[in-house]
Amino acid sequence: MNRMRQRAVFLSLFLLLGSFTAAWAKNNNIEFLDKKLLKELNHSIYEVVTPKLESSKIQYDRPLPYDQLSFKERNEKYNSIGTAFFINDKELMTAEHVFGLTSFSLHKDFFIRDAQGKVYPIATIRKYSTVRDMAIFDLQEYPEDAVPLTFSRHLEVGDTVFSAGNALGEGISYRAGQVASFTDEEEYGKWKNIRFSSPASPGNSGGPLLNLQGEVVGVIVRKTQGENYNIAVPISEADNLTDKAEFHFRNVTVEIDGTNETVVRDWSFSLPLPAPVAEVAEKAQNNLDAFYKQLSDELTEQVKENNFPLGKRFRAYLRNQPVIQGIASLVPDVDFKKWSAPSYTLKKIPLSAEQNVYRGGSPHFDLQAVIEKTPDMPLKTFLSSPKTVLDTLLKAVPYYRYFGSEKIRIISLGEPERTEVWQDKLGRKWTSSLWYSDHNDYFVTSHCLPHPKGALCIFDDNYTAALKINYFKRIKEGCDEITVGYDGDLTSWAEYLALGDEQLPAFFKKAKIEQQGDHLKLRLQDFQFDFTNPKITSKSDLHLHLGYANDKRLAEDLVLLELFPQKGSPAHYQIRPWWQPSPFSQDSYSPDWEEMMRSEGEYSGKVIDKGELRIIQKTAPQTKKTVTAFDGEKIDKVFTVGCVYKTAIKGKEDMEEDCARFFQSIEFF
């Protein structure tokens, strides 16, 4: 084929495609906006923007690589979040969700921006409806050349329409399509929404859906997934906006994790308008927060006979509680018939030869950790500085900001926005702190207990919107369902117990410790011992695994004490309380209980070989007693004393003698 022939073929194809496109546009009734009209519309339609935020508190391990960003990203000072248009000389309209005033956010200041980049602060809300997804507002100052749009209430399937707005934050654009159908409003079917084929992208929200004359026929509210059909609320619904802000959410739900228990209610709230944006936001968020608290209280009341801490199955769980390493959260099954407190392995992360962080997972929080202080820092000083605690964690556990194509490590969030010391129902004193991550509208919280090594904490991070849906109330109630195990060397324990009642859990109210050379004195609620062992030093380890008291509605109690004279060696001494089986106890527990009560079998005080270890367990018969629980139930209780040795170190007679000395050193109350 020669060159002339090629040109003829391409020309024919071009004419054929042009004819097809024209025919398609004609058959689908699609026309295009006049250029003169477009210029006029540019004085009516504006971006809605909010300033980009950067925290001066956050420290990174290196400068942020701004050079990797695009020209616009490097120079843009605002986040473009939607579109608005003038409806008269002083008022503009947008979609309600562009502001989203029911959700707490660090981005509280809103502006409109014109094509030249000039911004105008938004002043007051004049109309507002979450039901219709419409908002009308005014400004503190106005563009000189603003032109209001007119409305048209006439629209038919097949009409050409244009989605006008700030598509993808790239400025105002106009894209053509057709009205596809009119569909019932999803919640109550009060009106017919417009379904249209004009492309709509993030940023188009709040923009006008226009007809060929440039009149507003609807407000663009969302893009459908999977198909190019988008939704606008007909402009006629603006007639139903009142002088009150209208808030309504369907099916607000609170639930108990792991169960089928829920409470579902609709939320409604209104307040008089006009009002400043900040005032509308604060009142709506506070009311929604209170509503979540109300539902939470209702759910708690609804399940209280079966749930923590009153349910019979939960009270039965207390008879044989697991040994806790670090932190464990109580977990019920679907019907509250079985309870467990899985303890997650804490991974040791060395920061230096003398300082470590122990981190673990949790089903309820992003992270749990035991964070050691440095040896030269007093424990009280360490605990009084949430910044120091979090900075120490960040040395061990990376926390990043994604910037361009890189991950930039955050080494400090600075001083917290606020810190609160509070006491849970078990008598433990928590320190809760809140930090903001301004650039991505996130927050980080820590909730810490004093620990012999430093601080034992749970951490959480999330969008700031979560802070106004009953967040801190849920945290405080949830902490009652957390059990804790403490460990540390004897020097650390002495400093810990010296914190006093102001900072220590109620369980340690009468606790005392004194160590001199190989001599150790320890006092707890139910017993004390005065014991000498040549291997005891200031570096000997003491572990106290705590759980819940059987005889009180809510209080901590000892599950197991372990004393390791030589750090790193498995040889240790034990003191453990036991409670009589309940009707729901495992079958294997009842025979063990009978052996304990008769001082037989594994509780006879004789040496029993178990692999590389030799174990002695003795029942302390003088501790046998019946206690009365808060609900009047009578429960038998007994303590056992145990000794664990390496098989190769001592003969059986030496072990029996040593264990007898430990037994005799204990005075039970």
Side-chain angles (χ1 to χ4, degrees), residues 344-349 357-360:
Y344 294 83
T345 301
L346 295 178
K347 177 184 176 183
K348 179 180 178 180
I349 305 173
V357 169
Y358 301 83
R359 65 165 292 181

Side-chain angles (χ1 to χ4, degrees), residues 578 587-597 602-603:
W578 298 87
D587 293 342
S588 60
Y589 184 55
S590 294
D592 287 342
W593 172 258
E594 294 300 327
E595 284 189 351
M596 274 182 269
M597 297 301 286
E602 291 197 3
Y603 305 95

Side-chain angles (χ1 to χ4, degrees), residues 364-636:
H364 303 296
F365 300 96
D366 292 325
L367 178 70
Q368 64 184 45
V370 175
I371 304 166
E372 290 185 350
K373 68 181 186 63
T374 55
D376 59 337
M377 179 177 288
L379 179 58
K380 196 165 190 173
T381 302
F382 183 71
L383 294 169
S384 67
S385 175
K387 177 184 182 299
T388 302
V389 173
L390 183 56
D391 287 356
T392 304
L393 175 75
L394 293 176
K395 292 177 183 178
V397 181
Y399 190 56
Y400 296 107
R401 174 176 178 177
Y402 291 85
F403 200 91
S405 61
E406 295 189 45
K407 293 192 303 183
I408 309 301
R409 187 164 181 170
I410 296 172
I411 59 175
S412 179
L413 293 177
E415 294 292 341
E417 295 297 320
R418 69 173 187 260
T419 294
E420 177 189 5
V421 178
W422 56 278
Q423 180 173 303
D424 66 18
K425 293 178 181 177
L426 285 84
R428 300 176 298 200
K429 284 80 172 181
W430 295 82
T431 299
S432 293
S433 299
L434 169 70
W435 292 264
Y436 289 141
S437 177
D438 302 57
H439 63 275
N440 59 352
D441 211 12
Y442 254 62
F443 72 89
V444 174
T445 55
S446 68
H447 312 279
C448 299
L449 290 172
H451 187 277
K453 294 179 178 179
L456 189 152
C457 304
I458 51 180
F459 295 91
D460 195 17
D461 77 327
N462 206 332
Y463 286 108
T464 55
L467 293 173
K468 281 290 188 176
I469 50 175
N470 197 28
Y471 178 79
F472 283 104
K473 183 176 186 291
R474 286 186 291 112
I475 288 290
K476 291 181 178 181
E477 291 177 348
C479 283
D480 292 332
E481 299 180 39
I482 288 175
T483 51
V484 175
Y486 299 94
D487 66 286
D489 61 35
L490 298 182
T491 298
S492 299
W493 274 102
E495 188 175 15
Y496 175 77
L497 294 180
L499 292 173
D501 294 345
E502 184 178 340
Q503 290 182 269
L504 290 179
F507 175 82
F508 293 104
K509 188 174 184 63
K510 297 180 180 179
K512 293 181 181 179
I513 192 168
E514 182 181 340
Q515 180 258 325
Q516 292 183 346
D518 61 359
H519 185 202
L520 175 64
K521 293 181 180 180
L522 177 67
R523 177 188 176 95
L524 293 175
Q525 287 183 352
D526 295 306
F527 57 82
Q528 65 183 17
F529 62 77
D530 187 340
F531 183 57
T532 300
N533 181 302
K535 292 185 178 179
I536 289 177
T537 70
S538 61
K539 297 299 182 182
S540 297
D541 268 343
L542 175 66
H543 297 187
L544 295 180
H545 308 279
L546 303 186
Y548 295 92
N550 274 268
D551 54 335
K552 298 181 178 65
R553 176 173 177 169
L554 267 180
E556 279 191 299
D557 201 0
L558 181 70
V559 172
L560 175 65
L561 175 149
E562 296 176 305
L563 172 62
F564 295 80
Q566 189 172 354
K567 189 168 185 173
S569 170
H572 65 278
Y573 303 96
Q574 297 180 348
I575 302 175
R576 186 167 192 168
W578 298 87
W579 300 85
Q580 74 177 88
S582 78
F584 308 110
S585 296
Q586 294 181 355
D587 293 342
S588 60
Y589 184 55
S590 294
D592 287 342
W593 172 258
E594 294 300 327
E595 284 189 351
M596 274 182 269
M597 297 301 286
R598 296 195 301 266
S599 298
E600 296 177 353
E602 291 197 3
Y603 305 95
S604 64
K606 299 190 182 294
V607 177
I608 298 174
D609 286 337
K610 290 194 174 182
E612 297 181 355
L613 299 177
R614 283 181 169 169
I615 298 173
I616 300 173
Q617 294 187 88
K618 297 181 179 182
T619 302
Q622 71 275 27
T623 66
K624 296 176 184 177
K625 62 180 178 180
T626 300
V627 299
T628 302
F630 70 94
D631 58 0
E633 183 179 8
K634 306 289 186 181
I635 311 172
D636 290 339

